[in-house]
Amino acid sequence: MATSGEYGHEDFGKGGLNDRLDAAELVDEIGLDAEEIQWRKEFVGFDAEDERRLSRYEDAFAENAEQIADDFYENLTGHQQTVDVISRSEKGLEQLKRTQSAYLVTLADGDYGPAYFEDRARIGKIHDMLEMPMKHYLGQYGVYYDLILPIIGDRLTDSLTDRLADEGVGEGVGEGVGDAVEAAVEAEVDDAVEDLLSILRIINLDMQVVTDTYIHSYSEKLSEEVERNNRLMAEVEDEVREPIADLRESATHVADSAGEVGEASEDQS
């Protein structure tokens, strides 16, 4: 079982395709500066309260990181399309699982500045370099929800049990006990819902960055294709320009000759 601090941002950017990627340059090209990051946070409602709520899950995420990574890759290796993508990675399966564990833990480590989003851009770009379709990448989040939501449920159970114990519920049945239970359950469920919303907001921000990297890649490929077509057109024009000029010259000669023949015919008539 992992502990808080065992995984972190230092687990990103090591070896494999990372050696061919400049994450700082990438975030600059997609326009993900501090001002843009702040705007996106405000747009989805991510604030200091979300950071506080997420920090409460750092230990729980660390404790479950390895199991979630195992379950996550068990799903990926169960589908041939994603197996083909994984096989293109220069990292082994255990290295990939460690990166996945680090991803989970850093969701709740409280650091959501430029370095955090640079790591997320790096992750998205590498998956694109592995030619993982966007449907696969975004689809993984559906699997991820199934894996991390039980952690919220476990925390809700523990906090509710503690709260009921603190309020003396269960020590006896008396007037007002039912109201106390109802109030306690409602308060704890509301708190768990807010925790869930905080997790969904940070994951939403992650997904935005990944989408940016894919669109950036598509734009680069489109630009390269346009340039290639322009070069081909220029080469074709160069190849046909001289023959066309010769053809025009020949046509002129033919026209002149035809004129001379016509004149000669008139003279002979």
Side-chain angles (χ1 to χ4, degrees), residues 72 176 250:
F72 184 79
S250 298

Side-chain angles (χ1 to χ4, degrees), residues 123-161:
I123 293 171
K125 183 62 177 179
I126 287 177
H127 281 80
D128 176 63
M129 293 168 69
L130 291 172
E131 299 181 3
M132 171 176 277
M134 187 181 291
K135 67 176 182 179
H136 290 169
Y137 194 99
L138 297 182
Q140 291 178 106
Y141 282 104
V143 178
Y144 217 59
Y145 296 148
D146 289 340
L147 297 175
I148 64 176
L149 291 185
I151 298 177
I152 301 176
D154 290 342
R155 190 180 188 284
L156 171 60
T157 300
D158 293 341
S159 61
L160 182 56
T161 301

Side-chain angles (χ1 to χ4, degrees), residues 11 13 23 26 44 56 66 77 83 91 93 100-101 108 111-112 120 122 129 144 154 197 211 228 241 254:
D11 287 299
L26 175 61
V44 302
R56 299 192 299 179
E66 294 175 1
T77 54
V83 168
K91 290 185 176 181
L93 186 57
Q100 182 59 50
S101 294
D111 182 6
Y112 306 103
R120 270 36 187 178
R122 178 190 301 277
M129 293 168 69
Y144 217 59
D154 290 342
L197 290 175
T211 303
R228 189 181 74 85
R241 185 177 292 113
V254 169

Side-chain angles (χ1 to χ4, degrees), residues 196-208:
L196 173 59
L197 290 175
S198 295
I199 292 174
L200 292 178
R201 288 186 186 109
I202 191 60
I203 290 180
N204 180 277
L205 290 169
D206 286 3
M207 293 173 69
Q208 289 184 41

Side-chain angles (χ1 to χ4, degrees), residues 12 15 30 63 76 94 105 116 165-166 171 182 185 212 236 264:
F12 302 116
I30 63 179
E63 292 170 1
L76 289 182
E94 292 307 313
V105 173
Y116 175 92
D166 291 341
E171 295 179 358
E182 182 178 353
V185 170
D212 285 337
V236 170

Side-chain angles (χ1 to χ4, degrees), residues 208-219:
Q208 289 184 41
V209 177
V210 169
T211 303
D212 285 337
T213 62
Y214 271 74
I215 292 175
H216 173 264
S217 178
Y218 296 156
S219 298

